[in-house]
Amino acid sequence: MKIQDYIKSTRNIGIIAHIDAGKTTVSERILYYTHKIHRMGEVHDGNTTMDFMPEEQERGITIAAASTHCEWNSHNINLIDTPGHVDFTIEVERSLQVLDGAVGIFCAVGGVEPQSETVWRQSEALQIPKLAFINKLDRIGADFENVLESMETRLQTKPLALQIPLGQGQDFHGLADLITLQKLEFSEEDQGETVIRSPLAGEELLEAEIWRDKLLEEIAERSDEFLEKYFSKTFTADDIKKALREITIKRLATPTLMGSALKNSGIQPLLDAVCDYLPNPFEAKPLLTEPFDPANIKALVFKVVLENTHRFSFVRIYNGILPENSSLYNVNLKKHERIDHIYKLHADYHEKISQAAAGDLVGIVGMKTVQTGHTLSNDETLAPYEDFHKYQPVISLAFEPKNSEEADILDTALARYSLEDPTLTVSTEEGFRLVSGMGELHLAVLAERIQREYKIEPRIGNPQVILQESIKNTEPTEAEYRFERELGDKLHHGHVRISLAKQERGQGNTVHIADEAKAIIQKQKNTLKEDSLKSVQDYCLSLLESGCSDGLAVTDVKLEILSVQENENTSLPGIQNALHFALQEAYGKAKICTLYPIMKLEISAPEENLGSCMNLLNTCRAKIEQLYEKQNLKCITALAPMQELFGFATKLRSATQGRAGLTMQFLRYDTI
């Protein structure tokens, strides 16, 4: 096969959804029907291929995004199964960065749930075309029409149903294909591998024709080419598929398929749809604007793990052909990295290959300093691809080693985990290590991994919420500082005037330098050979992040350097030191407010448990945002400070005898 044909037949897809929607079960069926595995595991049995970590098998959830590859109808499919729990949202983010398409899984009973919205918004921000799969149609209470409606209202997308179920809940027994008007049944004798196709008839045909007419109208509204054939009634099934492919890639609507992964129904049509409608690497960004060139290698590292002290880097190839035993330039670090071996990925098993081409997701061994988000190329002038969004940690745990030997092991473990997971931050305090992460579950999993993989049991303190500060006065505060001191054997001078002003909540920190001050700063020599203006801006941002009073990071502040006075001893270190003291003075004059991590909660419970839920929310200073009904359940949306929510899930289970569902996600830092 020619390399261009290979790339055209490649599909890079992610499975995204809310926790417990069935992502891993769908992935397991995909691997089974493509003959990548020969026995299907089950999440509830803790033996699935993609959830291979012990912590995943014990909890029945996906923690780390797992990558694999398989083949279907002469197409090469690279598949990433992503986590659904909000604590591991960075795993979704960095996976979506390198994917060309995604399949959103929705529970036929639960519909569009909070984390479904979060990951859908993440994929929309990255302009990723998507299919949808309505799962669990065999469960009591399944309602595919309700899911379609909630997709339209909550996700702001138009779902195009390509199938409808034949029966729902206990009556579910097959699917009606609206493009071919065929009945699809999945043989129980061979675990659904055989798809039995037959013409629809009777009431099933009448209902399918009604839904088909709706589908064709929606396609005609979005495709001019199909519109002409639709009015002249000259279209074929291939014309429908061609128009659907165009609509999907342009993200004008979302083709929606259905089934029950646990009952082995609907997976093969989903695989067909992945090949038919989702883009190949040539049709997806960023290759869309760039012709394929075997010699022009461009790649992005989207994950790094340590295996036996060696870095194993997960890499997306965007252009060119990369052979083993070669080297690439690390654009971020401005140094060359060695490519020793290249592997195809299959969960925790790797298959060695001699080269990788544009569109491939591969593992690379040999690169010693590469980190998540780094850009690799053989073009040393290439600008780095945009780095991954850094999520702010909201909770900390103190790990205290029992002795110096255990301290060394703990430091090794934490260095490894913080390399693998960019959302973990570690600081060493007197006698203990303070580890910050995205939530209670995030840090609980970390503690378990340390005990299991490194055979140590450090004492663990109570969780501590990470606070921030900001200023609340409406008028800017100004300060001026003149610094003059001998540093080394040279006199350094800096004289600056600055102002501090508050910004909108969530806007972050910005540094603005007046034009006159810019001219003076740019004259100064920078020993690090960096741009002096950028050096000063980065220095100011780091001062704010490290805290100005109680060590709490300062956020949502605009720092403006109004003027810099110059003499013969003015230097960059002098200016930076003057800025440090001027900032302390200006911040001391300002009115300070403490910001707390605010969580968004969504609780669903039977009506008889509503009072217990409301009482529990009142005890944690929650603000009720919305109360509505969904699927015969009462649903509450509320905001609450995170420090009031430790153990909330346990209390909720106890108060409602386990009948309430709960999702929590970080919303913003704000005052209470």
Side-chain angles (χ1 to χ4, degrees):
M1 182 187 292
K2 290 181 180 178
I3 191 67
Q4 284 91 339
D5 292 335
Y6 168 80
I7 296 171
K8 286 178 182 175
S9 71
T10 296
R11 300 290 182 272
N12 291 315
I13 65 166
I15 307 292
I16 60 173
H18 185 87
I19 190 170
D20 202 33
K23 298 182 303 302
T24 301
T25 306
V26 170
S27 300
E28 199 75 5
R29 269 55 180 176
I30 286 174
L31 294 178
Y32 181 75
Y33 295 131
T34 57
H35 301 141
K36 188 70 183 179
I37 57 176
H38 302 292
R39 187 181 71 83
M40 286 185 281
E42 303 294 353
V43 172
H44 53 265
D45 292 334
N47 61 354
T48 60
T49 303
M50 303 298 269
D51 285 352
F52 54 85
M53 290 170 58
E55 291 78 16
E56 294 176 313
Q57 294 167 352
E58 288 168 12
R59 287 179 167 83
I61 62 170
T62 300
I63 290 170
S67 181
T68 189
H69 73 282
C70 54
E71 293 182 5
W72 181 258
N73 289 350
S74 302
H75 285 77
N76 176 50
I77 299 174
N78 293 313
L79 170 71
I80 296 181
D81 175 26
T82 65
H85 196 285
V86 67
D87 281 18
F88 307 103
T89 191
I90 185 65
E91 286 283 331
V92 183
E93 176 95 1
R94 60 186 178 184
S95 299
L96 289 174
Q97 284 277 57
V98 297
L99 294 174
D100 303 327
V103 178
I105 311 290
F106 301 97
C107 173
V109 179
V112 178
E113 296 173 277
Q115 186 65 3
S116 304
E117 290 186 69
T118 301
V119 295
W120 195 273
R121 282 197 303 271
Q122 285 175 299
S123 67
E124 280 294 292
L126 294 165
Q127 301 179 27
I128 294 175
K130 291 174 287 296
L131 303 177
F133 183 77
I134 300 175
N135 192 25
K136 304 188 179 184
L137 281 168
D138 60 307
R139 282 184 55 185
I140 295 172
D143 186 346
F144 84 98
E145 290 185 68
N146 182 66
V147 181
L148 294 174
E149 185 181 326
S150 62
M151 284 176 65
E152 196 160 356
T153 55
R154 298 186 69 169
L155 303 179
Q156 283 77 55
T157 186
K158 181 63 185 177
L160 302 180
L162 307 188
Q163 305 163 333
I164 58 170
L166 301 175
Q168 295 189 80
Q170 293 176 323
D171 299 327
F172 174 69
H173 61 279
L175 299 167
D177 186 323
L178 302 183
I179 296 177
T180 62
L181 289 178
Q182 286 183 321
K183 182 177 185 175
L184 308 181
E185 295 176 292
F186 302 86
S187 172
E188 293 182 9
E189 294 178 5
D190 57 6
Q191 293 184 292
E193 188 156 8
T194 301
V195 182
I196 303 162
R197 298 176 181 269
S198 58
L200 287 164
E203 289 186 10
E204 292 178 345
L205 176 61
L206 291 174
E207 186 178 5
E209 285 177 334
I210 293 169
W211 279 91
R212 188 176 196 263
D213 288 342
K214 290 182 193 174
L215 172 65
L216 297 177
E217 285 177 19
E218 296 289 354
I219 295 172
E221 279 183 24
R222 291 164 175 81
S223 171
D224 293 338
E225 185 179 341
F226 183 77
L227 182 63
E228 295 178 19
K229 295 179 179 180
Y230 175 70
F231 280 128
S232 61
K233 299 193 183 317
T234 57
F235 59 87
T236 64
D238 286 340
D239 292 324
I240 297 173
K241 290 181 178 180
K242 182 182 176 184
L244 278 169
R245 180 175 181 79
E246 174 195 353
I247 288 167
T248 307
I249 292 174
K250 290 182 178 178
R251 296 167 41 249
L252 301 175
T254 305
T256 303
L257 298 99
M258 338 200 157
S260 169
L262 192 63
K263 298 296 183 184
N264 308 317
S265 300
I267 302 301
Q268 294 93 327
L270 175 62
L271 281 165
D272 291 337
V274 165
C275 300
D276 290 340
Y277 308 130
L278 290 179
N280 64 54
F282 283 135
E283 297 166 314
K285 293 184 176 184
L287 280 185
L288 196 61
T289 56
E290 186 173 275
F292 171 70
D293 179 357
N296 182 19
I297 302 171
K298 294 181 180 178
L300 180 68
V301 179
F302 65 96
K303 187 175 180 179
V304 175
V305 297
L306 286 180
E307 293 188 351
N308 300 321
T309 72
H310 296 294
R311 294 192 189 207
F312 191 87
S313 307
F314 292 69
V315 178
R316 162 70 193 261
I317 312 293
Y318 281 117
N319 206 344
I321 299 175
L322 175 65
E324 64 178 347
N325 296 318
S326 59
S327 70
L328 281 177
Y329 188 69
N330 186 322
V331 176
N332 300 77
L333 298 181
K334 297 182 168 44
K335 62 185 292 185
H336 286 88
E337 301 271 10
R338 177 74 187 163
I339 312 296
D340 288 339
H341 303 296
I342 305 173
Y343 297 88
K344 277 275 189 184
L345 303 168
H346 180 50
D348 58 344
Y349 168 76
H350 313 311
E351 176 189 335
K352 194 169 178 293
I353 55 176
S354 60
Q355 66 176 31
D360 278 341
L361 300 178
V362 294
I364 292 178
V365 170
M367 299 186 289
K368 293 182 178 178
T369 56
V370 74
Q371 294 179 9
T372 299
H374 283 182
T375 301
L376 304 172
S377 180
N378 52 4
D379 176 6
E380 297 187 9
T381 64
L382 180 70
Y385 289 125
E386 188 173 350
D387 201 354
F388 298 116
H389 175 67
K390 297 294 188 294
Y391 285 85
Q392 291 181 313
V394 296
I395 187 172
S396 296
L397 274 183
F399 288 75
E400 184 182 357
K402 294 174 183 173
N403 51 51
S404 59
E405 183 184 352
E406 191 172 277
D408 292 339
I409 298 172
L410 179 60
D411 288 338
T412 300
L414 292 176
R416 170 194 166 188
Y417 296 135
S418 56
L419 171 69
E420 294 179 357
D421 184 350
T423 59
L424 280 174
T425 61
V426 181
S427 62
T428 302
E429 308 289 341
E430 190 175 343
F432 62 90
R433 283 41 171 182
L434 194 66
V435 184
S436 304
M438 297 295 294
E440 284 185 272
L441 179 61
H442 190 198
L443 296 180
V445 167
L446 173 71
E448 285 181 24
R449 289 190 68 187
I450 289 173
Q451 292 174 8
R452 179 176 56 82
E453 296 175 15
Y454 288 88
K455 305 294 188 290
I456 60 172
E457 295 191 10
R459 288 183 285 270
I460 300 173
N462 292 325
Q464 299 292 318
V465 170
I466 299 173
L467 306 179
Q468 294 186 350
E469 285 184 340
S470 191
I471 57 178
K472 59 183 179 180
N473 42 292
T474 53
E475 293 298 318
T477 58
E478 292 190 11
E480 186 172 351
Y481 195 89
R482 181 176 180 273
F483 176 87
E484 192 162 72
R485 191 174 301 171
E486 200 170 289
L487 301 173
D489 57 353
K490 186 179 177 185
L491 186 64
H492 290 271
H493 173 272
H495 191 162
V496 301
R497 186 167 61 90
I498 67 166
S499 76
L500 278 182
K502 77 169 187 177
Q503 300 202 115
E504 290 294 321
R505 193 68 65 232
Q507 196 169 336
N509 296 324
T510 57
V511 177
H512 180 261
I513 305 175
D515 291 340
E516 190 178 320
K518 278 183 184 177
I520 295 172
I521 292 170
Q522 283 176 319
K523 288 182 189 178
Q524 310 309 314
K525 291 181 182 177
N526 191 332
T527 55
L528 297 176
K529 297 181 180 178
E530 296 174 346
D531 175 61
S532 294
L533 278 177
K534 185 177 185 303
S535 177
V536 166
Q537 286 178 320
D538 289 346
Y539 179 75
C540 291
L541 289 171
S542 69
L543 286 176
L544 291 168
E545 286 170 10
S546 59
C548 296
S549 58
D550 297 328
L552 300 181
V554 178
T555 189
D556 301 336
V557 165
K558 179 182 179 182
L559 189 157
E560 187 165 8
I561 303 175
L562 302 172
S563 67
V564 177
Q565 293 185 27
E566 186 181 21
N567 68 21
E568 68 276 8
N569 294 316
T570 298
S571 66
L572 195 59
I575 292 171
Q576 289 177 330
N577 275 285
L579 284 167
H580 172 76
F581 290 109
L583 177 58
Q584 296 282 0
E585 187 178 325
Y587 196 74
K589 295 178 183 177
K591 294 177 182 176
I592 311 301
C593 59
T594 302
L595 304 181
Y596 300 84
I598 304 298
M599 308 298 287
K600 181 180 179 182
L601 294 80
E602 186 158 311
I603 298 172
S604 56
E607 186 168 3
E608 56 267 31
N609 297 113
L610 182 62
S612 300
C613 296
M614 298 292 275
N615 291 337
L616 198 55
L617 285 170
N618 288 334
T619 65
C620 62
R621 302 168 72 185
K623 177 185 176 186
I624 308 296
E625 293 272 288
Q626 193 179 7
L627 181 62
Y628 60 97
E629 192 165 325
K630 174 183 167 185
Q631 297 286 326
N632 298 320
L633 293 173
K634 295 293 182 180
C635 298
I636 310 164
T637 303
L639 306 181
M642 185 168 186
Q643 65 266 35
E644 302 287 346
L645 297 174
F646 291 130
F648 182 82
T650 304
K651 293 174 186 174
L652 183 66
R653 276 196 299 271
S654 176
T656 63
Q657 291 79 49
R659 300 179 71 193
L662 169 69
T663 59
M664 276 195 291
Q665 65 186 92
F666 171 69
L667 186 64
R668 63 176 182 267
Y669 271 92
D670 210 338
T671 52
I672 297 179

